[in-house]
Amino acid sequence: MKAHRKEHRRRRAPASPRVQGSPDFHRRRRPNGGHPVDPPSRANLLAALAGEAEKGPLTRVRLAELARKHGAPLSAVQSLYSFYFPPDHGAEVKVCRGLPCALRANGRAEAQEWGASCLGYCADAPVMWKKGRYFSLASGRPREIRESTRAWVTAHAQRLRAYREAGGYAALERVLADPDPASLLSAVEAAVLRGMGGAGFPVALKWKAVMGSPRPDRVVVVNAHEGEPGTFKDRLILEREPHRLLEGALLAASVVGATEVVIALKSEYVNALSVLERSLRELDEASVDLGFHGNLPSVEIRPLVGSYVTGEETALLEALEGRRSEPRPRPPFPAEVGLQGRPTLVQNVETLASIPALLHESPDPTATGKVAKVFCLTGDVETPGAYREPLGIRAASLIETRGASPSEAFKAFLPGGLSGGILPASRLDIELDFDAVKRNGGGLGTGAIIAIGKDRCIVDVLSNVGEFFRTESCGKCVPCRLGTAKLSDLFGRLREGKATESDLREAETLAKVMQETSLCALGQVAGKPFLDAMRDLREEILAHVRGECPARICRAGGG
Ligand code: SF4
């Protein structure tokens, strides 16, 4: 029964109705007169289950009907249902408990009792979701976030005509007219483009791995399933720069020789779905004019339910195949055995959207330093938001110029979301690029910078982070499943003034074991913020062992 409760607690419900892709476009755009291939029946089952679950909790009878209809065992349907849909998925109101929201909600970062792990509107923190609408609680009263409404998003999304006038699709036209994968690959290589979904893996290496496959049925999967607190850049790109993303995905597909692009879209991103569908229609209508007709890979949008771990690339493939989104052991890597066993390039939204700019603005393929990055700046800054800046901008500069806050106001910062660890304010002068942040003991991750003010309690912050990882662990492997729970318990005891130095030593060992033995990145990084804090902010943690909270926030310090 205990395990069952854990199962339900860690899932997050989709916030709004899901719609299945754009099948008409899929059919029309299939190149060379081929026929669309129906997704496997298990994937259809998951989509049907999601549609039914949206109406309310499902009874055993209804689950059995779905099982019969899709020719699946009842146990398989129940397994999917318990994994993807917690008992509160039908709740009409959810309050975000992600770190940026928790920081701005009440001055404390402790996790709230229930709610969503991240609602994706971190710049308007604290945020509440109510019946499909998003509200900021920043002023104390709910105010609907204008940028979250369908009307606003639709009116401000990039249109094909404007994109073309700015030079958009010119790179794709050139590549289709004179296919030369080597030159595009060398442009990506010269720009030192790295994956921007969190791992920072060199893009050219990934492409080469797919190109090296002897199988011709290659596919590009666009990972549009971000979910880490503080990260909302992909939503913005999907909603505001859809053609930039589509061109990047089609360019990548052309280079690696893929005949199909699948956009694996977080189901909560309903505005992005309608913008993408409109953009695909625009592209379809202009395809003759652009010389694309019959030359492009098919494009399919697949809205997917799921939580944070669904954004892990192999978990995403599992979800696309209609299974529980639990990461796969590697090797084999998706480049060899990916979606339905095919060679697969899984690439993040921002990474793909960066590619056209490399080609438009860089006729010289050897030019470097052309890569810009969207940094999501949240936490205790005056003006949180998403800012596109050159990779390598200094953290202090970003916080001061974009966040309108003096660097002296901070105790620490998270340089790359919760998975990038915590650095002390003394490192605010570092350059925000993958290698420099790593050299300084952090990880750039998705580029979500969360600033922690001087009056905050680091144990309180760790407590929020620990609860996030405990909630989001899929439970597949022991080090992560048990390790995240133990670390979270420790932070609770520290807050209460009930932890000992021996507990801290044990937890350090545990966090290192998790780094080395967890199956996927979630478990590998879950203990990093704690290890970082023990390295750089040790005194504040030890004060809690003595029953003191210097910030007077935790019960240990009388807060
Ligand atoms: Fe699941 Fe955690 Fe293991 Fe990843 S590390 S597979 S999230 S239990």
Side-chain angles (χ1 to χ4, degrees):
M1 186 58 201
K2 207 170 174 182
H4 182 70
R5 274 204 304 273
K6 159 92 177 154
E7 172 93 339
H8 280 305
R9 201 186 57 233
R10 68 172 178 256
R11 297 293 113 218
R12 184 178 44 178
S16 36
R18 289 162 292 283
V19 186
Q20 186 68 39
S22 55
D24 290 338
F25 183 84
H26 179 94
R27 276 193 285 277
R28 284 201 304 274
R29 297 194 62 78
R30 192 80 184 171
N32 308 323
H35 297 291
V37 179
D38 277 334
S41 58
R42 193 59 73 81
N44 288 336
L45 165 61
L46 181 54
L49 186 60
E52 287 298 313
E54 201 57 46
K55 298 172 194 162
L58 297 183
T59 61
R60 189 183 155 86
V61 172
R62 189 70 195 103
L63 291 175
E65 275 172 26
L66 277 168
R68 253 196 316 280
K69 193 168 162 192
H70 290 269
L74 176 59
S75 59
V77 182
Q78 282 176 323
S79 168
L80 289 176
Y81 186 55
S82 64
F83 186 85
Y84 285 107
F85 305 100
D88 73 337
H89 79 262
E92 294 190 342
V93 178
K94 290 187 182 188
V95 177
C96 186
R97 63 186 175 198
L99 183 59
C101 280
L103 284 170
R104 295 182 83 100
N106 56 7
R108 293 185 177 194
E110 67 183 290
Q112 296 169 37
E113 264 311 293
W114 66 274
S117 289
C118 180
L119 287 172
Y121 286 88
C122 320
D124 293 284
V127 176
M128 176 181 83
W129 176 89
K130 187 174 181 185
K131 297 183 183 175
R133 293 161 69 190
Y134 293 87
F135 297 85
S136 172
L137 305 173
S139 64
R141 288 177 169 200
R143 171 190 59 81
E144 184 160 23
I145 301 169
R146 193 184 48 152
E147 292 80 2
S148 70
T149 60
R150 174 73 56 91
W152 194 94
V153 173
T154 309
H156 290 82
Q158 182 180 57
R159 303 304 300 261
L160 177 69
R161 189 169 169 180
Y163 185 62
R164 285 186 68 187
E165 282 170 5
Y169 287 116
L172 187 59
E173 278 184 77
R174 279 202 306 276
V175 167
L176 291 177
D178 182 16
D180 180 10
S183 75
L184 181 48
L185 188 62
S186 60
V188 168
E189 229 163 5
V192 203
L193 185 62
R194 309 267 288 263
M196 299 194 189
F201 192 77
V203 171
L205 280 185
K206 225 176 184 185
W207 288 16
K208 282 180 189 169
V210 178
M211 292 161 81
S213 169
R215 288 183 57 162
D217 55 346
R218 300 166 196 164
V219 56
V220 171
V221 170
V222 180
N223 188 343
H225 216 288
E226 67 188 354
E228 188 165 344
T231 303
F232 49 99
K233 65 185 178 65
D234 290 345
R235 175 180 60 75
L236 294 178
I237 292 169
L238 288 158
E239 289 176 353
R240 300 190 194 171
E241 301 177 320
H243 285 293
R244 191 175 158 130
L245 167 66
L246 290 173
E247 186 179 13
L250 292 166
L251 281 166
S254 304
V255 173
V256 302
T259 53
E260 195 178 340
V261 173
V262 177
I263 303 176
L265 181 69
K266 184 172 171 168
S267 62
E268 289 95 326
Y269 285 179
V270 286
N271 290 337
L273 175 64
S274 66
V275 165
L276 279 173
E277 287 183 324
R278 183 177 72 181
S279 305
L280 285 171
R281 279 196 301 276
E282 286 181 329
L283 188 55
D284 192 34
E285 283 157 16
S287 65
V288 174
D289 185 29
L290 283 161
F292 293 169
H293 191 61
N295 287 329
L296 289 182
S298 64
V299 180
E300 184 191 5
I301 310 169
R302 290 278 301 281
L304 287 178
V305 292
S307 58
Y308 173 59
V309 76
T310 306
E312 195 277 341
E313 63 176 9
T314 59
L316 192 70
L317 298 178
E318 289 289 295
L320 282 170
E321 292 181 12
R323 288 188 289 274
R324 294 159 69 117
S325 55
E326 293 172 346
R328 298 173 181 173
R330 282 161 293 185
F333 291 91
E336 309 156 74
V337 182
L339 186 62
Q340 293 148 20
R342 300 156 64 189
T344 304
L345 175 70
V346 186
Q347 204 93 79
N348 161 262
V349 165
E350 187 186 7
T351 315
L352 290 168
S354 302
I355 292 165
L358 291 180
L359 301 178
H360 296 166
E361 295 160 16
S362 178
D364 172 7
T366 61
T368 57
K370 296 285 184 186
V371 180
K373 166 107 194 70
V374 180
F375 293 98
C376 296
L377 179 60
T378 60
D380 293 321
V381 291
E382 284 297 317
T383 49
Y387 304 106
R388 186 173 268 139
E389 297 284 354
L391 260 180
I393 183 175
R394 294 195 184 274
S397 166
L398 186 74
I399 284 176
E400 285 172 3
T401 57
R402 298 301 207 160
S405 306
S407 335
E408 302 77 50
F410 301 99
K411 164 184 290 188
F413 67 110
L414 285 74
L418 308 194
S419 55
I422 299 177
L423 294 179
S426 58
R427 306 254 171 92
L428 274 170
D429 65 338
I430 64 169
E431 292 180 348
L432 293 174
D433 74 32
F434 292 98
D435 295 329
V437 175
K438 194 172 175 190
R439 275 197 305 277
N440 281 276
L444 189 63
T446 57
I449 316 295
I450 306 176
I452 309 294
K454 272 209 160 100
D455 56 347
R456 300 290 182 185
C457 167
I458 207 66
V459 169
D460 190 46
V461 170
L462 286 175
S463 183
N464 177 284
V465 173
E467 185 56 26
F468 171 79
F469 283 118
R470 186 219 294 250
T471 305
E472 297 298 318
S473 167
C474 79
K476 181 172 179 174
C477 65
V478 173
C480 172
R481 185 175 68 235
L482 297 184
T484 51
K486 276 184 160 293
L487 286 180
S488 187
D489 287 345
L490 168 75
F491 303 141
R493 275 183 289 124
L494 272 170
R495 296 186 74 250
E496 299 283 321
K498 293 178 181 167
T500 64
E501 285 198 47
S502 156
D503 290 336
L504 292 179
R505 280 195 296 276
E506 211 174 274
E508 281 185 290
T509 305
L510 174 65
K512 286 173 189 163
V513 169
M514 289 164 66
Q515 269 180 347
E516 286 163 14
T517 59
S518 293
L519 181 59
C520 83
L522 187 151
Q524 289 159 12
V525 301
K528 181 169 170 45
F530 169 65
L531 291 174
D532 289 352
M534 285 297 284
R535 180 191 63 210
D536 296 319
L537 301 155
R538 192 181 192 92
E539 271 315 304
E540 191 173 332
I541 295 177
L542 288 177
H544 286 74
V545 171
R546 297 192 297 273
E548 300 160 18
C549 173
R552 301 188 69 77
I553 286 176
C554 300
R555 194 169 297 170

